[in-house]
Amino acid sequence: MRFLPRLGLSAALAAAAFLSWRLLLQSPARSRAGDLAPKAEEGFTLTLDTFLHVQQLRKRRLRAFCSQAGKVSKLPSNQEKRASLLPSLRVNTKLDLLYCQVPSAGLEEWHQLLEKLEEENVTLPVLLPYHQLHTKETRLSEFNQTEIKAMLGSYTKVLFVRDPFHRLIATFLQGMGISPSFSSFVQEVLDSGMHNSSVAWKPLVSLCRPCLIQYDYVVMFGFLRQELGHLLRRAGLPVGSLLPELTDSQVQWTYRWLSEQMFSELSAQQKKQLSHFYRWDLAAFPFSSSFLSDHPSTVETWQN
């Protein structure tokens, strides 16, 4: 399947959705330690104990990555440097939430849920004196260092994670970049390099700084429906009928199929370079990209 100009992308996505469900019926899902696959697509009920256990496994893997990767672990005192270091972190001072806003991470339904919660006039214990000084949602970097430290110590901090290659495909399908084909788009990404790369496809570790921010919850795209209810209840927020009909598990299957098709266009060199470009994400989180099964996953490759 050749993805040329994007005029037929809607039709391609519709076909991919249909075929991905056919594949779901025909093939068992792969599972990875520290995750919920293949149960996410089976309509199971996630117990609180299982949710907490999965969170422990994900954060343990993240801590292991941070302990060896030599990442930034101290908050800069200079506001300009903080803005550069924390460009994607958002805070909702009404709901006492902090999360990382990652492009093409599939967070549209999360934002809808936050809007609904705000309309409910939720009352939380006022832990900080800053609620009336700023808008309900803003960049973390716009606060001073004292405020940021207080928020990091008391707000519920959520890291939303999506397979970097699925993010890359979503970015291409949304028309970002100037390249007409997926192969040339990938080359555009690779040519930009790590330091000059667009936020749209920059690695999540670089955007969300999980070695600097001690996130309370690490939520994987594809498992939102099972996990958000537990997360919000533990954060003291009402859920009930406010939780939207989440479709991320179906979208996940669609993108698995798209990945197999679109990455078949890439050269072996491009695949190798992409694996290196996203090496931190691949090492820090439990992804299972079969089309790049030889991607690096050791500490030594992170530091090259």
Side-chain angles (χ1 to χ4, degrees), residues 207-227:
L207 293 174
C208 301
R209 302 293 177 178
C211 299
L212 171 63
I213 308 300
Q214 302 299 307
Y215 289 96
D216 301 302
Y217 300 99
V218 179
V219 180
M220 304 285 289
F221 184 85
F223 306 100
L224 299 180
R225 180 173 60 83
Q226 290 79 16
E227 300 187 20

Side-chain angles (χ1 to χ4, degrees), residues 116 239-244:
K116 291 180 180 179
V239 186
S241 60
L242 295 179
L243 200 62

Side-chain angles (χ1 to χ4, degrees), residues 130-185:
Y130 315 122
H131 287 67
Q132 305 302 320
L133 300 180
H134 300 274
T135 57
K136 287 181 293 187
E137 184 166 305
T138 187
R139 296 174 185 269
L140 179 67
S141 59
E142 293 181 11
F143 295 87
N144 64 44
Q145 190 169 23
T146 300
E147 292 172 334
I148 290 176
K149 287 183 177 180
M151 290 175 175
L152 292 178
S154 59
Y155 276 23
T156 298
K157 300 172 290 296
V158 186
L159 177 60
F160 291 98
V161 179
R162 188 178 187 184
D163 187 307
F165 303 119
H166 291 186
R167 278 186 56 216
L168 191 65
I169 292 173
T171 300
F172 171 71
L173 295 179
Q174 291 164 11
M176 301 182 187
I178 60 175
S179 303
S181 70
F182 184 63
S183 178
S184 58
F185 170 70

Side-chain angles (χ1 to χ4, degrees), residues 67-288:
S67 68
Q68 302 175 68
K71 300 284 98 185
V72 175
S73 59
K74 186 177 180 180
L75 188 68
S77 57
N78 180 276
Q79 185 170 12
E80 185 176 339
K81 290 183 178 179
R82 288 201 302 270
S84 175
L85 189 66
L86 308 172
S88 301
L89 269 69
R90 302 290 186 271
V91 290
N92 187 305
T93 56
K94 181 176 181 180
L95 301 176
D96 290 359
L97 286 172
L98 182 153
Y99 68 97
C100 189
Q101 175 67 46
V102 179
S104 303
L107 297 183
E108 294 81 6
E109 291 162 327
W110 166 254
H111 294 143
Q112 294 171 13
L113 178 58
L114 291 184
E115 290 175 2
K116 291 180 180 179
L117 287 169
E118 289 171 358
E119 292 171 359
E120 290 290 307
N121 292 319
V122 176
T123 301
L124 292 172
V126 181
L127 299 174
L128 300 172
Y130 315 122
H131 287 67
Q132 305 302 320
L133 300 180
H134 300 274
T135 57
K136 287 181 293 187
E137 184 166 305
T138 187
R139 296 174 185 269
L140 179 67
S141 59
E142 293 181 11
F143 295 87
N144 64 44
Q145 190 169 23
T146 300
E147 292 172 334
I148 290 176
K149 287 183 177 180
M151 290 175 175
L152 292 178
S154 59
Y155 276 23
T156 298
K157 300 172 290 296
V158 186
L159 177 60
F160 291 98
V161 179
R162 188 178 187 184
D163 187 307
F165 303 119
H166 291 186
R167 278 186 56 216
L168 191 65
I169 292 173
T171 300
F172 171 71
L173 295 179
Q174 291 164 11
M176 301 182 187
I178 60 175
S179 303
S181 70
F182 184 63
S183 178
S184 58
F185 170 70
V186 166
Q187 194 59 50
E188 178 187 344
V189 171
L190 295 173
D191 290 343
S192 69
M194 178 69 74
H195 298 293
N196 299 318
S197 62
S198 167
V199 171
W201 55 72
K202 201 165 189 176
L204 183 144
V205 166
S206 297
L207 293 174
C208 301
R209 302 293 177 178
C211 299
L212 171 63
I213 308 300
Q214 302 299 307
Y215 289 96
D216 301 302
Y217 300 99
V218 179
V219 180
M220 304 285 289
F221 184 85
F223 306 100
L224 299 180
R225 180 173 60 83
Q226 290 79 16
E227 300 187 20
L228 279 185
H230 290 305
L231 186 159
L232 293 171
R233 279 189 288 270
R234 288 179 61 81
L237 297 168
V239 186
S241 60
L242 295 179
L243 200 62
E245 187 66 31
L246 299 167
T247 60
D248 58 303
S249 60
Q250 295 95 314
V251 173
Q252 182 86 328
W253 275 99
T254 299
Y255 272 80
R256 286 176 187 171
W257 184 85
L258 279 173
S259 299
E260 299 287 349
Q261 306 306 310
M262 297 178 75
F263 275 77
S264 66
E265 297 185 9
L266 305 183
S267 67
Q269 181 66 16
Q270 285 179 313
K271 292 180 181 180
K272 181 178 180 180
Q273 290 176 322
L274 268 185
S275 295
H276 184 75
F277 185 81
Y278 287 116
R279 63 195 182 280
W280 293 337
D281 285 4
L282 297 172
F285 306 106
F287 301 121
S288 55

